[in-house]
Amino acid sequence: MYNYNQNSADDPQYQLAYRRAERRVKAKLGFYNHLAVYVVINGLLIVIYLATGLLPGYYSYPWFVWPMFGWGIGLLFHFLGTFVFSNTNTEETRQRMIEAEMRRMGTYNTNPRPGSPYNSGPTPPYSGVGPASPFEAPPDKH
């Protein structure tokens, strides 16, 4: 495990971790601001409903539930994007998925990019079963 307390300005792992943490904090603060605005504005809508609905002999439909419902759906997706699916949109995840798909296809990364934590390593030795690559015919078993 990497020790992030080294905090060297020249350390690329630290810089990557710092940028990732900064992005996550920014996303969380954005969600909390969104939640605060939702509560304040919908609270005002409820106050308006109560102020206009308490007139004598007047029944008012609770219309405030519709803006709350619609905005609540948006808030739910903002929550899911911030806290549940926050790691699915990173370059690291994308690279890992590409390399996993290449392994499923039978292609291995023999020349990995420097510093990649998701190197496929050297090409595994040929086991004698099936083709050595997807572009070759299987070997003869004579």
Side-chain angles (χ1 to χ4, degrees):
M1 182 121 212
Y2 184 75
N3 182 4
Y4 295 110
N5 292 330
Q6 294 174 2
N7 67 3
S8 170
D10 298 331
D11 187 2
Q13 282 186 321
Y14 177 80
Q15 291 174 354
L16 178 67
Y18 185 85
R19 283 193 306 271
R20 188 178 303 134
E22 187 176 36
R23 189 174 38 235
R24 287 190 47 88
V25 166
K26 192 177 201 180
K28 287 178 181 182
L29 289 175
F31 172 76
Y32 294 141
N33 287 336
H34 188 181
L35 180 63
V37 170
Y38 174 83
V39 169
V40 169
I41 297 298
N42 284 300
L44 288 173
L45 292 178
I46 292 170
V47 167
I48 291 170
Y49 165 76
L50 292 175
T52 59
L54 294 178
L55 299 173
Y58 179 74
Y59 172 74
S60 178
Y61 177 76
W63 51 266
F64 65 89
V65 298
W66 297 111
M68 285 179 72
F69 177 72
W71 195 348
I73 291 173
L75 190 64
L76 173 68
F77 281 111
H78 194 169
F79 172 81
L80 292 174
T82 302
F83 294 101
V84 178
F85 301 112
S86 63
N87 291 331
T88 59
N89 199 20
T90 64
E91 179 62 30
E92 183 179 304
T93 303
R94 182 180 160 280
Q95 185 68 30
R96 183 174 45 229
M97 290 173 72
I98 288 170
E99 290 180 8
E101 189 62 32
M102 289 177 69
R103 280 192 300 274
R104 274 191 224 97
M105 292 170 34
T107 307
Y108 295 90
N109 189 1
T110 58
N111 195 7
R113 61 188 171 92
S116 172
Y118 299 105
N119 294 338
S120 299
T123 304
Y126 178 61
S127 66
V129 178
S133 86
F135 307 108
E136 294 178 17
D140 291 333
K141 294 280 184 173
H142 295 89

